[in-house]
Amino acid sequence: MKGRDKELVAALAIAGRAGLIVLALGVADFIHGIVTAPAGTVHLRFAGLAAGLLMLFGGLGILALVRWLALLAAAVQLGGMLSSLFVVPAGLTLTQIRLYPLAYTAGCVPWLFSVAIALVAAVSLSHPQLLAARARAGRSVHSARIPLALGALLAIGAAVSGYRVLNGEAAQKARRAVAEKLGPGYQYYTQSLSTTIGKPAKTSALVQAWNEHEVRNVPVQWQEQVESQ
């Protein structure tokens, strides 16, 4: 029993050391969200803080749950990044990187925090010592394939849905409205689209117009016409 206790303590120590890293990333992510939030808004990002604390103080059951969620989150984040390559025009992305490298990098920071937190948690909690300790305790060791596959499916589903919405009729209407203002000297991409349900319904969109020299973000709004009875 004493040998097993030592093995359990050693396994939990692995999770604790990684938990300190995740907690530090979570604190940095939390502060970054507050500092960079637009005026009048608050961005509170608790995922890293919660994961780090659970890794520091949780038992084998809690650690297994955090591992499963971390694997899922890592697959979603990395899959989403790859899927975005098929949704966002490559020319727009390359132009943003070329013209505004610092702004583009700054925009990627929240994603980098999320990926780092998920990967550190997922890899550390998949350590053979931790998995062996769970098996010795008579608990099932869950395969990483299910959360990874589910995360990949969620990322693909989000990409397909986003592509359909951002290339649908409303998105094309937003692009045409901006093109009428700015002319043929730009290429156009609808970055976001939302509709407020009401009478009448109101649609808001953000269209990005770009050429070799600049990228412009142009907001568009319109109300759906109500047919008279």
Side-chain angles (χ1 to χ4, degrees), residues 87-218:
V87 177
V88 181
L92 172 58
T93 300
L94 293 174
T95 300
Q96 288 176 314
I97 294 173
R98 178 172 59 82
L99 295 178
Y100 318 108
L102 293 179
Y104 186 86
T105 302
C108 294
V109 169
W111 176 83
L112 292 174
F113 273 125
S114 297
V115 171
I117 289 168
L119 286 178
V120 171
V123 172
S124 62
L125 295 181
S126 297
H127 194 283
Q129 263 187 274
L130 271 168
L131 299 183
R134 184 170 176 82
R136 284 193 300 270
R139 303 187 182 191
S140 58
V141 178
H142 301 291
S143 171
R145 294 177 182 177
I146 293 177
L148 289 175
L150 181 58
L153 287 175
L154 289 173
I156 293 171
V160 172
S161 177
Y163 182 85
R164 294 182 64 180
V165 170
L166 297 179
N167 289 277
E169 182 178 349
Q172 293 179 28
K173 181 177 180 179
R175 289 198 291 269
R176 288 195 298 269
V178 176
E180 290 176 359
K181 295 179 181 179
L182 301 183
Y186 294 87
Q187 298 182 69
Y188 300 94
Y189 167 68
T190 305
Q191 184 189 53
S192 63
L193 185 72
S194 63
T195 300
T196 302
I197 299 175
K199 294 184 178 179
K202 183 172 71 173
T203 299
S204 301
L206 182 66
V207 176
Q208 292 184 295
W210 82 97
N211 56 27
E212 290 295 317
H213 308 291
E214 65 174 342
V215 177
R216 300 177 62 175
N217 297 318
V218 185

Side-chain angles (χ1 to χ4, degrees), residues 35-50:
V35 171
T36 60
T41 64
V42 179
H43 290 174
L44 300 179
R45 300 199 284 265
F46 290 107
L49 295 174

